[in-house]
Amino acid sequence: MPEETKQKRSRVERNWSTKKRRLLKPNIILAAMSIVVMILVVSGVVARIAFGVDGVLQTTRQKLVKKDAKTALEFGLTGDSSASNTQSIVNLTTKKWQAEIASSIQTALQSDQKVADSVTFSGTQYKKTSVMKDLSQRYLETLQRDRDFKVTSVKFDKYHNAKVTYQVKPIDLPAGQALVQKYVDEQIKKNETAASKLTQEELRLVEYAMVANNWDRVLKDNMPTSSDKIATIDLLYRTKNFKPEYQITKDTLNNILNSGLAE
């Protein structure tokens, strides 16, 4: 009886040992796979952070950055763009960008010299708010004209951000304004008696109003330009839903706008 009990116990132990080995084998494989996956994930994160590896071909990024750079330049120079992905690149609506440009123009016009709030000259009443709005609109319409530009080179950093060098032919706004101002001066001289009765602030408001009214008549789409300018902009790289794209900041838009204007 003791021998039989011992033999049965031994058989149970052997069966349990076999079953235990069968259970341990899959657990070991699963643990090993988990370690491998963890190593791959960590390696991917390290590669992403340290080397900018994201699985996108460099040739894809090169094509994309040239396309997005042209969209950014067109938007920055003219305040508008026909490209379908404009908003994802500039992250700013056309209406808001144009409003900021117009506001900047008005601020510049009033930065150095005072302008009267209203004045009546030669039977016409002029109000500062409407005059400044009209004048800034003339400037804005001029800025919206197409300008010759081209991307000349692109350099990437290790995170695939791009430094784009481009060439642009700037609009010479001061030269254009001088042409219009000359015409306005001639018109005011025809009514010099009435003009002599105005203060400097009132006369300046009249001049601004007449510049706005005669802008298109004088320039006739022949806005002066200056020699080509070479400039650079930074485009920031990111992937969204595993799709690569480039973006620019508002400061970069301002740099683009300034590069399109003669100093």
Side-chain angles (χ1 to χ4, degrees), residues 56-215:
V56 179
L57 295 176
Q58 184 64 10
T59 53
T60 300
R61 280 190 285 263
Q62 289 172 343
K63 291 179 181 179
L64 180 66
V65 73
K66 289 181 179 180
K67 178 182 177 183
D68 288 356
K70 290 180 179 178
T71 300
L73 289 169
E74 182 182 20
F75 187 88
L77 291 170
T78 68
D80 197 4
S81 176
S82 58
S84 59
N85 63 334
T86 300
Q87 298 308 313
S88 65
I89 299 172
V90 302
N91 196 27
L92 193 67
T93 64
T94 298
K95 184 177 180 179
K96 185 174 182 181
W97 178 233
Q98 291 183 2
E100 290 192 13
I101 295 174
S103 177
S104 178
I105 292 170
Q106 290 190 36
T107 300
L109 290 170
Q110 301 178 75
S111 60
D112 297 327
Q113 300 174 320
K114 291 183 178 181
V115 181
D117 290 330
S118 65
V119 65
T120 298
F121 177 75
S122 190
T124 302
Q125 185 181 34
Y126 300 105
K127 292 186 177 294
K128 178 180 175 180
T129 52
S130 59
V131 167
M132 300 309 270
K133 182 179 179 180
D134 290 343
L135 184 55
S136 63
Q137 186 62 32
R138 297 292 85 74
Y139 274 83
L140 183 59
E141 289 170 356
T142 299
L143 293 177
Q144 288 179 287
R145 298 177 186 176
D146 290 335
R147 263 160 287 181
D148 292 332
F149 70 86
K150 62 180 180 180
V151 175
T152 56
S153 67
V154 178
K155 292 183 179 179
F156 298 91
D157 64 16
K158 67 178 181 178
Y159 301 111
H160 314 303
N161 300 313
K163 184 174 287 294
V164 178
T165 302
Y166 64 98
Q167 179 178 310
V168 63
K169 182 175 287 297
I171 289 175
D172 196 338
L173 275 176
Q177 184 175 357
L179 292 174
V180 182
Q181 185 67 50
K182 181 180 179 181
Y183 176 84
V184 168
D185 290 342
E186 293 172 353
Q187 298 304 307
I188 291 178
K189 280 184 180 180
K190 294 178 180 179
N191 202 346
E192 194 169 0
T193 302
S196 64
K197 298 178 181 179
L198 303 178
T199 65
Q200 287 296 319
E201 290 81 5
E202 290 174 335
L203 182 59
R204 192 164 295 116
L205 179 59
V206 171
E207 289 178 343
Y208 280 172
M210 294 183 70
V211 166
N213 292 338
N214 293 284
W215 187 269

Side-chain angles (χ1 to χ4, degrees), residues 212-223:
N213 292 338
N214 293 284
W215 187 269
D216 293 335
R217 178 184 301 171
V218 174
L219 295 177
K220 298 177 182 178
D221 294 327
N222 292 321
M223 190 68 197

